[in-house]
Amino acid sequence: MSQIALFGNPNTGKTSLFNNLTGSYEYVGNWSGVTVEKKVGILRSRDAYVVDLPGVYSLHPLSRDEGVATDFLLTESFSTVLNIVDASQLKRNLHLTIQLLEFGKPLVMALNMIDVAERRGMKIHINQLSARFGVPVVPVIARTGKGMDELTEKLRSVEQTKPFTLTYDDVIETAIAKISSYLPDDIERSKRWLALQCLEGNERVYEYLRAKIALEPILAIRKQTEESIRQLPHGRSLRERLHHLRETFIEAVLEDVVTWTEKRPLTWTEKIDAIVTNKYLGMPIFLFFMYVMFMLTFDWLGSPLADLLDQFFSGPLTDTLSRLLTAMGASGFLQELVLNGIVSGVGGVLVFVPQIFILFFFISLLEDSGYMARVAMVMDRLMEAIGLNGKSFIPMIIGFGCNVPGVMAARTIEQPRERLLTILLLPLMSCSARLPVYALFVGAFFKAHQASVVFSLYVLGIVVALLLAKLFSSTILKNEHSMFVIELPPYRMPQALTLWRSTWDKGKGFVRKAGTFIFGGSVAIWLLSYAGPKGLHVSMDDSFLATIGGVLAPILAPLGFGTWQAGAALLTGFLAKEVVVSTMNIIYHVKDTDTLQGLMAHYFTPLSAFSFMAFVLLYVPCLATVATIRKETGSTKWTFFAIGYALAIAYIISFLIYEGGKWLGLS
Amino acid sequence: MVLTDLQPGKRATITNISMMSDILKQRLIDMGVHEGEEVCVKCTMPFGGPVMVEVAGQCICLRRKEAACIGVE
């Protein structure tokens, strides 16, 4: 099947268009860079693939996620370009369109947000726009799916027409001719496009050409052209000159294509911004929003739902399974494996599904509404003080849901060192998998102050991350030059369907994990607790699990939880943090959370429980996060560093909490 | 005059962006911030935090010391 590549500026509704065009479930967000990976869907007419690429302003990449788009053009084979264009930002968007047209593949333009453009007083003449660029133009409303049929039709029928050529000035045209004649004839990409990208200084294109020919002659031509351009009256750089010439062409086109009517005063985006980005209210509003999110997740809505689910697992489900197994004549071993191993282990984690979905819902809401970019802006001053920038805060919020997409979202940060630092600190953001552990302990020891105790752990994670950021950025990761520029997209009313898809997309990973990792982990842990050096069906204290956990116990004693049970739970928690809860359910042989919480009072005090929760928060990133850090940093050294510093800081903090608490007379 | 001298709500035209670092300049040019474009400061964050400006029909947020490298009239 042929491939269609979807290109467009950030915040143009690209992912919504992709979803509607392919009918697939994709992750939709409204801040620059939610689409960090290449995603492929199948066109509704089932005869072509559509590839969703990260939003870019031009083909000359500045950050890693933008590089993905350029690399795609250079290395992949595809038949058609689908260029989504924001009608209300036509001038800026057409720069990318020109660069794509110069590439020479058939192109279809999807003109999105016509309604917004009209509200701003723009009337766009579609036919004239289509004629000026020589490509089909289809007006669409990506968020509602309007215009998809016509777009699909055009995508299927578009053919290669006469290649679009914009004539630059004499100096540049001469340089293009020189570079083109130097390029080998068997090169697979348009020579003119390659030459233009070389003049832009596109590093990715340099790399592509370096593999085929010596680059020095091209660089020499570029340098010479740069000097000639500098001597022109304006004294611009070559890149600015190219941009200026394209801009001139676009302005001429827009003269003919757009008629301006009366401009209406700007929208409610400005009214909302007047409040949420207010000089003094901005930060408190953000904190208030976070607090409401946590109260809903833990107190008001999440906990009652989790309790209901817990009752179902420990009551009807266990009874039915037990009766079923007896009826089937299952052996005692199998019965115990299913009821004490799998139901306790997997069920103990699944009861937290409601809370996790509520949390993911709020994160999706943040992304989809356009507020996320404002958060980056509000937080930038603080982040600058510790050697990061406001954009680092976005991966961190995503990290509250799950650290893995958080680490990947750091790709939008332009400066390599700031990006590395963000990745290293991300595991300190308390992800949803740690939530079951907190929920278990606060239910047992802090009944009256559940939400505030959990909130304090989130704050602890953030504070430790900020302090370490300051430490690392002033020692091992000194920053060359910090920068922060972000586009603030207009607010959009989040749509129920998009929100649900986005929440489900994030949440299904948790459910899937329960069926795989946690299922497997539970079986393994139960077997380790069932078998011991002296044989099978031993008492729990003589099991292999007790032996393994016992090794860690003395090390953990100064932190207040020097039991083999805690040691074993923490060890298995490296698989995924919620396995800590599964292990505890299995070790203490209980089927519902209430009994477990009652039993835990024998092994923990409120102080040691808090110390334990702090340790679980900080100690090591889970297996999946470690793998992602390795992939994203491309460095084993930094991956080990991420694990090592986390262990050290967890030990120190828990030690301080427990010993400090004892000293203060707490227990 | 530079962008940070502009009163919030007042409009001006960008006259010079050559004082900025290359990577920043490229990003801003891509976003449509260049000489001759009209600009308006929407608000500023406290403690020397970033400024929010409106250029070419969109809102952009950048740091104050970087905004101070944009000459306006």
Side-chain angles (χ1 to χ4, degrees):
Chain A
M1 272 199 295
S2 57
Q3 269 205 108
I4 298 165
L6 176 53
F7 280 89
N9 279 197
N11 305 309
T12 46
K14 207 162 49 63
T15 311
S16 296
L17 180 75
F18 178 79
N19 278 344
N20 276 312
L21 209 55
T22 60
S24 72
Y25 278 29
E26 274 305 328
Y27 188 58
V28 188
N30 173 340
W31 62 275
S32 326
V34 160
T35 315
V36 287
E37 285 202 301
K38 175 183 151 189
K39 284 176 192 137
V40 184
I42 294 178
L43 208 63
R44 274 184 198 274
S45 58
R46 309 224 141 263
D47 52 2
Y49 290 112
V50 183
V51 183
D52 187 19
L53 291 155
V56 290
Y57 294 106
S58 84
L59 294 177
H60 181 179
L62 291 181
S63 65
R64 275 202 27 149
D65 64 320
E66 293 173 338
V68 172
T70 312
D71 282 347
F72 182 87
L73 287 177
L74 289 171
T75 54
E76 303 266 334
S77 75
F78 58 97
S79 58
T80 314
V81 174
L82 170 54
N83 178 207
I84 179 165
V85 168
D86 177 353
S88 64
Q89 292 289 340
L90 204 51
K91 198 161 85 175
R92 188 191 77 194
N93 279 249
L94 288 176
H95 280 274
L96 180 66
T97 307
I98 291 179
Q99 293 184 48
L100 288 169
L101 283 168
E102 282 165 347
F103 187 78
K105 284 270 167 145
L107 184 145
V108 177
M109 192 191 296
L111 196 59
N112 193 22
M113 299 195 218
I114 291 270
D115 46 339
V116 182
E118 273 169 12
R119 247 178 279 138
R120 290 197 182 165
M122 285 171 88
K123 174 96 187 66
I124 300 166
H125 306 284
I126 310 279
N127 291 339
Q128 268 157 286
L129 184 64
S130 169
R132 287 300 290 262
F133 285 101
V135 296
V137 178
V138 184
V140 297
I141 299 175
R143 288 174 81 80
T144 60
K146 203 170 154 232
M148 290 306 134
D149 291 339
E150 195 192 340
L151 186 60
T152 309
E153 196 41 55
K154 285 275 160 38
L155 280 171
R156 294 170 70 188
S157 62
V158 70
E159 272 166 25
Q160 179 73 58
T161 47
K162 191 169 74 71
F164 169 90
T165 313
L166 168 63
T167 313
Y168 293 81
D169 65 10
D170 292 344
V171 182
I172 291 170
E173 287 298 331
T174 316
I176 293 172
K178 274 192 207 160
I179 296 176
S180 300
S181 65
Y182 172 69
L183 292 173
D185 280 333
D186 60 347
I187 209 147
E188 285 156 357
R189 303 287 178 261
S190 151
K191 282 188 178 178
R192 187 177 168 84
W193 181 81
L194 286 170
L196 272 162
Q197 289 302 318
C198 285
L199 291 177
E200 291 259 357
N202 191 330
E203 289 290 337
R204 301 281 171 156
V205 174
Y206 286 166
E207 263 171 56
Y208 171 79
L209 291 176
R210 197 173 280 136
K212 304 178 193 307
I213 47 166
L215 212 55
E216 287 69 29
I218 296 180
L219 295 178
I221 297 169
R222 179 170 195 270
K223 194 152 172 273
Q224 200 188 343
T225 317
E226 178 89 60
E227 274 159 20
S228 320
I229 297 285
R230 286 264 179 219
Q231 276 152 20
L232 290 175
H234 277 299
R236 288 196 178 91
S237 71
L238 174 52
R239 237 195 79 82
E240 282 171 81
R241 180 74 184 160
L242 285 164
H243 185 275
H244 175 73
L245 293 171
R246 277 197 300 264
E247 182 96 351
T248 312
F249 172 78
I250 292 168
E251 273 170 354
V253 170
L254 293 187
E255 280 288 299
D256 299 345
V257 169
V258 179
T259 29
W260 289 89
T261 55
E262 165 218 8
K263 208 173 178 173
R264 268 165 254 181
L266 261 173
T267 44
W268 40 289
T269 286
E270 293 208 322
K271 287 178 195 153
I272 300 173
D273 269 344
I275 303 166
V276 302
T277 59
N278 179 285
K279 213 171 177 151
Y280 307 103
L281 291 175
M283 189 82 91
I285 286 175
F286 170 63
L287 291 177
F288 174 75
F289 185 84
M290 295 302 270
Y291 186 71
V292 169
M293 173 167 126
F294 287 111
M295 287 306 277
L296 269 171
T297 311
F298 296 100
D299 250 17
W300 303 336
L301 189 62
S303 296
L305 288 173
D307 284 346
L308 282 178
L309 212 57
D310 190 29
Q311 280 164 21
F312 169 74
F313 281 135
S314 58
L317 186 74
T318 310
D319 291 346
T320 317
L321 272 175
S322 165
R323 245 178 281 132
L324 211 70
L325 285 166
T326 319
M328 278 159 54
S331 67
F333 172 81
L334 197 64
Q335 287 211 16
E336 281 199 44
L337 172 65
V338 172
L339 298 176
N340 296 338
I342 295 168
V343 174
S344 301
V346 179
V349 168
L350 277 183
V351 293
F352 298 101
V353 161
Q355 287 172 333
I356 282 160
F357 271 77
I358 294 170
L359 189 67
F360 281 143
F361 173 82
F362 277 99
I363 292 175
S364 305
L365 188 67
L366 273 177
E367 283 173 358
D368 203 40
S369 62
Y371 183 53
M372 201 72 120
R374 272 78 180 175
V375 173
M377 167 165 136
V378 169
M379 298 306 289
D380 180 64
R381 183 64 196 90
L382 180 67
M383 302 304 272
E384 189 186 4
I386 57 160
L388 285 171
N389 76 53
K391 272 191 195 174
S392 310
F393 207 75
I394 297 171
M396 290 184 175
I397 292 178
I398 293 175
F400 285 142
C402 176
N403 288 173
V404 172
V407 170
M408 296 201 288
R411 288 182 185 181
T412 54
I413 299 165
E414 291 94 347
Q415 303 290 49
R417 277 169 192 270
E418 286 179 343
R419 176 166 171 264
L420 178 59
L421 191 52
T422 308
I423 291 176
L424 290 178
L425 296 174
L426 212 107
L428 300 176
M429 297 301 116
S430 186
C431 68
S432 59
R434 276 164 253 194
L435 221 152
V437 184
Y438 305 154
L440 180 69
F441 278 84
V442 294
F445 298 99
F446 306 100
K447 264 240 153 11
H449 310 284
Q450 298 203 12
S452 27
V453 170
V454 175
F455 195 64
S456 74
L457 284 159
Y458 278 81
V459 173
L460 177 70
I462 297 171
V463 169
V464 171
L466 297 186
L467 291 176
L468 286 177
K470 182 70 197 164
L471 178 71
F472 292 162
S473 66
S474 48
T475 53
I476 47 172
L477 281 171
K478 279 214 178 91
N479 231 317
E480 60 277 78
H481 173 80
S482 174
M483 72 169 250
F484 174 65
V485 183
I486 194 167
E487 184 187 348
L488 303 170
Y491 288 104
R492 274 151 209 165
M493 185 52 96
Q495 290 194 313
L497 183 66
T498 314
L499 267 184
W500 161 244
R501 279 181 179 178
S502 177
T503 307
W504 170 244
D505 226 43
K506 298 184 183 87
K508 76 179 175 202
F510 181 83
V511 178
R512 194 188 301 134
K513 210 161 47 161
T516 51
F517 258 85
I518 294 164
F519 182 88
S522 296
V523 171
I525 292 158
W526 182 80
L527 283 173
L528 282 175
S529 73
Y530 187 79
K534 289 185 194 129
L536 291 178
H537 204 48
V538 292
S539 119
M540 188 72 83
D541 287 328
D542 296 323
S543 65
F544 282 123
L545 197 61
T547 318
I548 299 167
V551 177
L552 290 175
I555 306 170
L556 298 172
L559 312 183
F561 39 90
T563 58
W564 71 259
Q565 288 92 338
L570 288 172
L571 205 61
T572 52
F574 176 58
L575 277 181
K577 300 241 168 160
E578 57 271 54
V579 177
V580 170
V581 174
S582 307
T583 310
M584 293 210 150
N585 267 316
I586 295 168
I587 290 175
Y588 294 120
H589 255 314
V590 288
K591 281 175 211 76
D592 67 273
T593 314
D594 281 345
T595 347
L596 178 58
Q597 286 171 341
L599 202 69
M600 274 170 24
H602 298 299
Y603 298 90
F604 287 92
T605 64
L607 181 62
S608 67
F610 193 76
S611 165
F612 186 80
M613 287 191 285
F615 196 79
V616 170
L617 163 68
L618 306 169
Y619 80 122
V620 276
C622 71
L623 197 59
T625 308
V626 170
T628 314
I629 293 176
R630 172 73 188 82
K631 207 175 97 204
E632 291 294 307
T633 59
S635 149
T636 316
K637 191 186 91 185
W638 285 115
T639 312
F640 277 113
F641 179 78
I643 300 172
Y645 93 78
L647 267 174
I649 203 79
Y651 199 87
I652 294 167
I653 301 266
S654 291
F655 184 82
L656 290 178
I657 290 173
Y658 185 66
E659 300 300 329
K662 271 204 313 205
W663 188 72
L664 287 173
L666 304 171
S667 63
Chain B
M1 188 161 90
V2 293
L3 190 53
T4 40
D5 299 332
L6 201 62
Q7 290 283 319
K10 290 269 186 322
R11 299 194 159 269
T13 307
I14 299 174
T15 51
N16 185 0
I17 57 165
S18 63
M19 292 176 279
M20 272 183 301
S21 70
D22 280 345
I23 182 167
L24 188 69
K25 192 160 62 185
Q26 191 192 331
R27 172 64 88 214
L28 288 176
I29 289 174
D30 286 343
M31 285 174 157
V33 181
H34 47 77
E35 281 133 15
E37 202 64 55
E38 199 173 67
V39 61
C40 169
V41 174
K42 307 292 283 185
C43 67
T44 55
M45 295 281 110
F47 309 113
V51 295
M52 177 172 158
V53 295
E54 191 198 321
V55 195
Q58 70 198 321
C59 287
I60 286 174
C61 170
L62 70 165
R63 285 197 175 144
R64 206 169 296 185
K65 65 170 192 290
E66 285 151 358
C69 297
I70 299 177
V72 297
E73 235 160 52

